[in-house]
Amino acid sequence: MSAVSTPPDASAATGPPAPARRDAEATKAAILRAARYLLARQAHADITLKAVAERAGVSAPLVLKYFGNKDALFARVMSFEEDADALLDAPLAELGPHMVRHVVASQRERGADPVLRIAFAPLHGDHGDILRANFRTQVTERLAARLTGPDPGIRAELAVATVLGLGVMFGIARGSELRAAPIEHIVDRYGPTVQAHLDSPRQSPTAPDRS
């Protein structure tokens, strides 16, 4: 009697890859977080792949496996696209408070606000120019494109500058009162300041002609 072959178990074939894929994505995310953390505190030239790997809790060869080399890794890290997605993820009428909440929550939960990396551009030489160019196109110009009314460019830059000032006071100057305050208390006080730059300016009434 010929042996009856057993068909492969479909669930066994499809089950294992999903956890592995999730693990790979989690590892890549940890590496990117570690590189962002170091980039916000050290000059690009001083950051080694070994330091990134140690902070991410992985081996240096694994960093190379996922990103190829230091330049490829930091090309990803110097992008603000994902950070801008989170920072600007609110309707325009509610965006000022949202930006404030996002910056403070990022500082408290992760110890840094990724958008604040732009403050360290002077540390990075030619790479600082890449940071500035990415920040301009991916954050301020993207925000300006959402604004209505006159002078959207300057209003976007003022709104972002206001939020960055909050991030500096919280994360770099470490203002004790600010760091002790509830997030919503900060949002209530500071959100309208940011929103004032985002809202379209009201047209001033024309003064009567007294000539």
Side-chain angles (χ1 to χ4, degrees), residues 157-169:
E157 289 187 2
L158 286 170
V160 173
T162 306
V163 171
L164 289 178
L166 174 64
V168 168
M169 190 64 192

Side-chain angles (χ1 to χ4, degrees), residues 176-198:
S176 57
E177 296 293 329
L178 182 60
R179 292 171 72 87
I183 289 180
E184 290 307 312
H185 181 65
I186 299 170
V187 171
D188 289 343
R189 294 181 69 93
Y190 205 74
T193 303
V194 179
Q195 190 67 41
H197 297 301
L198 301 174

Side-chain angles (χ1 to χ4, degrees), residues 10-148:
S11 63
T14 58
R21 191 157 46 244
R22 285 197 296 270
D23 289 346
E25 291 305 312
T27 300
K28 285 193 234 181
I31 292 169
L32 288 170
R33 282 196 302 271
R36 288 191 184 103
Y37 178 92
L38 293 171
L39 190 67
R41 289 159 176 82
Q42 300 177 34
H44 175 274
D46 296 334
I47 303 171
T48 65
L49 288 179
K50 180 181 178 183
V52 174
E54 287 178 352
R55 175 146 195 96
V58 300
S59 66
L62 199 58
V63 177
L64 291 173
K65 173 185 175 182
Y66 287 130
F67 294 97
N69 55 46
K70 179 178 172 179
D71 287 342
L73 170 62
F74 279 91
R76 287 279 304 274
V77 172
M78 288 185 181
S79 171
F80 291 92
E81 285 186 352
E82 291 182 12
D83 307 321
D85 286 345
L87 181 68
L88 305 179
D89 185 23
L92 188 56
E94 304 166 12
L95 188 54
H98 168 80
M99 292 169 74
V100 171
R101 185 179 296 107
H102 173 76
V103 166
V104 177
S106 295
Q107 290 280 0
R108 288 191 171 166
E109 294 168 8
R110 293 183 281 179
D113 171 28
V115 177
L116 198 59
R117 284 176 289 146
I118 191 59
F120 299 91
L123 291 176
H124 303 304
D126 292 342
H127 290 89
D129 294 335
I130 298 173
L131 270 176
R132 292 184 189 95
N134 287 347
F135 189 84
R136 182 171 58 252
T137 58
Q138 296 168 0
V139 181
T140 56
E141 290 180 1
R142 177 176 168 183
L143 175 57
R146 291 185 58 185
L147 303 184
T148 59

Side-chain angles (χ1 to χ4, degrees), residues 5-14:
S5 61
T6 304
D9 185 348
S11 63
T14 58

